[in-house]
Amino acid sequence: MGISFGCSASGERLVSAARDGDLEEAQALLQCNPRLAKYSTFGARNSPLHFAAMQGHNEIVTLLLEHGVDVDTRKYCGQTALMQSCRHGHWEVVQTLILYNANVNKGDYLNGLTALHFAALNGHARCLRLLVADYVPSAPSFWGPRRNLSVPDQGPDCVSEETTSLRSSLYKLINKTADGGVTGLHMASLKGHAECVHLLLDLGADVSALTFQYDTTVDMIGAGSSPLHYAACGGSIQCCQMLLARGANHLAINCNGWIPQQVAQVWGRHWLDGLLAPRSQCPVQPLGLSPFLTSPLMSIIQIARECGLGDMSILASGMDSCAVCLEKICTVAAEGCGHELCTRCALYLCSNGTSMSDPAGAVPCPLCRQGIVSFRKLPSASPIKDLTRSSALGLCTTCTVDEPEALFPSEFSCRADKRSRVLPLSPVGRSVTCTGFSTMNLPCGKYDPALATPDQAEAQETRDHHPEWSLEGGSHEEAQIPASAPAPDRATTPRSLSESALRSKSPKRGWLQDFVAWKQKHNCSSKPTSS
């Protein structure tokens, strides 16, 4: 069963708001109960973060992450929000999750598929580019003529140890296998996604990776199949040409005894016979760098994590505005041309644009079209303060928190009265006081002779003849304390004893006791006598 925090009805409303993209509804619900951000539906365990990521609602994803949701939370089958967004191609959501340090190496519980497998299977090259952003440094030297990233550099022109470590980590990420030994290159080749195949080959995908026996539908191709076997099954000429250009063996035999040409014949891809024939004379063109290979992406993501997206308006800051959006201040500058942009525009340029081949992986500057290899931070980009997350338990709407002025200056408070605010915990104690409810004047019923019973009529007649027994001006049933009586010590005297002592000192009895005594004295009956 899923874990529910708070009211389940409010949690379902938040799930519906996340699924439908209702940002105002989600903000209102989280403002009332911040714990709803961690709500999960019963049974399926789908959190609002999964629904928002699946539908591509980036603003709601950001809102949930700001309220403390675990970015790597899993649903019932082990899929994370990053896998959901890569599966449906929502690259903006992928970008947000990467900024919040989502784990790209996690696999689901069903087949061990990672976010990279989902992106490659569905042909989302932009998502693939963002998934490897932390493994591709902003340096053209990273993309040399050598393609096999599993072999360390040797010789006088070897790169630094850090670059070698990044290449090794990138190779492991790109060639990570799911159940059956299937890699992302196998899936992209099978589906015919040429852009993903091109990018994966540039990132160091192994064209000789082989599958093994596993009870799935792809086993009909045969265990021991290479990505070229899968491309032949899919029937994509472009994918087969890319694999052959990067050294794929068109004579490799799988466990069924088939070469890629025979796989194409079994699956009816007869247009591949000339290209995959053992003695094929079809020329194979050399393959350049992928346009989705972006070098400055790592630098701008690191700046965004450190300083945020720089959403300060130019009206509030008085600084120079970004030349692209004309709304935000400039926080980063391009290495080389030196043109200044805001962090959000630079991140969009690297995530959504196409790169140049010279220098390798550079993106064109939107102002001068010169290649940008990396970005540097400007002095106007101040680091984000490590704000303490607010407590999940809030106060009621009538509670106030008294806090020391030295620890919490007035400029950090959003309202002067400081009501209904959840503040971070501190070793310094705070006094919490709840404002009492306002007094209510309840209307008292008046005596109506037409609706009165005989007993009520007789009692009213008695009160008319004896005004001192009236309840107006205060009830005589309550204790009347003389002015000369000393005040009791309630700190040492029990409440029951002090009240009984006060009642014993009362000079008058209650009007009801006096009325009963008067009736007994005059031998009056409550019922009228018939003549």
Side-chain angles (χ1 to χ4, degrees), residues 134-449:
D134 290 327
Y135 300 89
V136 180
S138 300
S141 59
F142 187 79
W143 308 108
R146 184 184 56 83
R147 297 296 178 187
N148 189 2
L149 300 182
S150 62
V151 180
D153 290 308
Q154 297 178 358
D157 297 333
C158 64
V159 295
S160 62
E161 182 179 355
E162 180 181 0
T163 303
T164 304
S165 177
L166 286 175
R167 283 178 173 173
S168 177
S169 301
L170 177 61
Y171 180 82
K172 294 178 181 178
L173 173 64
I174 294 299
N175 294 283
K176 188 173 183 178
T177 60
D179 292 345
V182 179
T183 64
L185 185 60
H186 283 91
M187 293 185 168
S189 301
L190 178 64
K191 293 296 184 178
H193 301 309
E195 293 178 346
C196 293
V197 171
H198 194 180
L199 179 58
L200 289 172
L201 290 174
D202 284 342
L203 293 173
D206 188 5
V207 296
S208 302
L210 302 179
T211 61
F212 53 84
Q213 186 66 34
Y214 196 75
D215 295 332
T216 59
T217 55
V218 296
D219 281 344
M220 291 185 293
I221 303 175
S225 298
S226 66
L228 188 58
H229 286 87
Y230 277 68
C233 178
S236 174
I237 298 178
Q238 191 175 4
C239 291
C240 292
Q241 290 176 341
M242 290 180 178
L243 293 172
L244 291 173
R246 291 297 170 87
N249 185 9
H250 67 288
L251 298 178
I253 302 176
N254 63 6
C255 293
N256 292 338
W258 297 339
I259 62 175
Q261 181 193 20
Q262 293 173 329
V263 172
Q265 292 175 353
V266 169
W267 291 89
R269 320 300 186 189
H270 302 290
W271 55 86
L272 296 177
D273 289 343
L275 180 63
L276 300 178
R279 297 182 180 180
S280 175
Q281 300 297 327
C282 295
V284 178
Q285 300 295 332
L287 188 63
L289 290 177
S290 171
F292 292 93
L293 193 65
T294 309
S295 293
L297 189 57
M298 173 184 276
S299 61
I300 191 61
I301 283 183
Q302 291 178 351
I303 295 175
R305 286 173 178 168
E306 180 183 357
C307 305
L309 295 180
D311 289 337
M312 183 182 298
S313 175
I314 57 175
L315 298 178
S317 62
M319 300 180 181
D320 295 336
S321 62
C322 174
V324 177
C325 64
L326 302 177
E327 295 179 356
K328 310 301 179 183
I329 64 173
C330 295
T331 52
V332 296
E335 293 286 355
C337 63
H339 286 123
E340 299 179 355
L341 304 172
C342 67
T343 306
R344 186 179 293 274
C345 290
L347 189 59
Y348 180 86
L349 180 66
C350 296
S351 301
N352 194 43
T354 56
S355 60
M356 305 167 60
S357 58
D358 188 21
V363 295
C365 177
L367 302 179
C368 64
R369 310 308 297 175
Q370 184 178 347
I372 301 175
V373 178
S374 65
F375 288 94
R376 57 181 174 86
K377 181 177 62 176
L378 293 177
S380 58
S382 57
I384 301 177
K385 296 181 180 179
D386 188 12
L387 299 179
T388 306
R389 290 181 179 177
S390 59
S391 174
L393 297 177
L395 304 176
C396 58
T397 56
T398 59
C399 295
T400 59
V401 179
D402 299 331
E403 53 197 18
E405 294 294 336
L407 294 178
F408 298 90
S410 58
E411 58 266 22
F412 291 99
S413 60
C414 56
R415 293 194 300 175
D417 57 354
K418 302 177 183 178
R419 287 178 178 267
S420 304
R421 295 182 59 225
V422 182
L423 298 173
L425 300 179
S426 171
V428 181
R430 298 187 182 91
S431 59
V432 181
T433 58
C434 290
T435 306
F437 293 100
S438 58
T439 58
M440 295 180 292
N441 296 324
L442 298 178
C444 299
K446 296 184 179 180
Y447 172 74
D448 189 355

Side-chain angles (χ1 to χ4, degrees), residues 1-3 40-47 50 73-76:
M1 299 295 289
I3 301 175
S40 59
T41 58
F42 290 96
R45 291 185 61 190
N46 291 327
S47 67
H50 287 95
T73 182
R74 294 177 181 266
K75 57 186 298 186
Y76 69 98

Side-chain angles (χ1 to χ4, degrees), residues 118-129:
F118 284 104
L121 179 62
N122 295 277
H124 303 305
R126 288 179 175 84
C127 297
L128 281 176
R129 169 168 54 188

Side-chain angles (χ1 to χ4, degrees), residues 465-524:
H465 288 83
H466 300 274
E468 65 274 10
W469 294 345
S470 176
L471 286 175
E472 296 179 0
S475 174
H476 293 289
E477 189 174 357
E478 297 293 335
Q480 301 292 332
I481 305 176
S484 59
D489 187 5
R490 292 187 179 269
T492 57
T493 306
R495 180 177 179 86
S496 58
L497 295 179
S498 61
E499 290 182 354
S500 60
L502 291 176
R503 290 181 183 274
S504 63
K505 296 180 181 180
S506 176
K508 295 183 180 180
R509 295 181 299 176
W511 68 270
L512 185 58
Q513 290 84 348
D514 294 339
F515 174 68
V516 172
W518 179 83
K519 288 181 61 177
Q520 293 176 354
K521 180 179 179 181
H522 295 279
N523 195 15
C524 297

